[in-house]
Amino acid sequence: QVHLVQSGGGSVEAGGSLTLSCAASGYSYGHYCLGFFRQAPGKQREPVAVIYTTNLVPDVADYLKGRFSISADSNKKTISLRMNDLKPEDSGVYKCAGARSGAPACTLGTRFPYWAQGTQVNVTS
């Protein structure tokens, strides 16, 4: 079973930057997808960015491209979400997610059964 521990988040003024990290454990082989989702109050959870740990190919939500990016460490078990030029509408609970990949890629539509505890991101205007 994949275990995920998330860190980062907090409060920042609009236009600022934050980085979230997620460390995965519980597996030593195979192909995995790791990523971040977010949920604002009263809204549905939405995918933010995912990355395929085998070849480190990312998939970022179109409306976040240019501001958000996802990367993985050389061990391929720690990922980071860099969020730049943050806007108040980026506020919400951000959760790291993991999945064993049955396909040679990860997309925002990949089903993720493993979840971290989540962290709050508040962007003030």
Side-chain angles (χ1 to χ4, degrees), residues 14-125:
S17 299
L18 284 174
T19 298
L20 304 181
S21 296
C22 179
S25 62
Y27 63 95
S28 58
Y29 64 92
H31 306 286
Y32 283 84
C33 299
L34 297 174
F36 286 93
F37 289 68
R38 71 183 186 184
Q39 187 168 18
K43 295 187 177 181
Q44 288 190 332
R45 184 174 63 199
E46 59 185 10
V48 173
V50 300
I51 190 165
Y52 185 42
T53 61
T54 299
N55 58 15
L56 302 185
V57 172
D59 189 10
V60 179
D62 286 342
Y63 62 94
L64 296 175
K65 288 179 179 176
R67 296 195 298 122
F68 287 28
S69 62
I70 189 169
S71 61
D73 285 359
S74 58
N75 64 11
K76 300 183 179 182
K77 290 189 176 182
T78 300
I79 63 170
S80 295
L81 179 71
R82 177 66 175 177
M83 305 181 288
N84 295 324
D85 190 23
L86 283 162
K87 306 177 186 301
E89 53 264 39
D90 293 319
S91 298
V93 176
Y94 284 68
K95 286 190 176 183
C96 175
R100 185 177 180 118
S101 177
C106 296
T107 71
L108 298 177
T110 297
R111 178 180 172 273
F112 287 84
Y114 305 110
W115 295 89
Q117 76 281 10
T119 55
Q120 181 70 41
V121 170
N122 287 322
V123 184
T124 59
S125 58

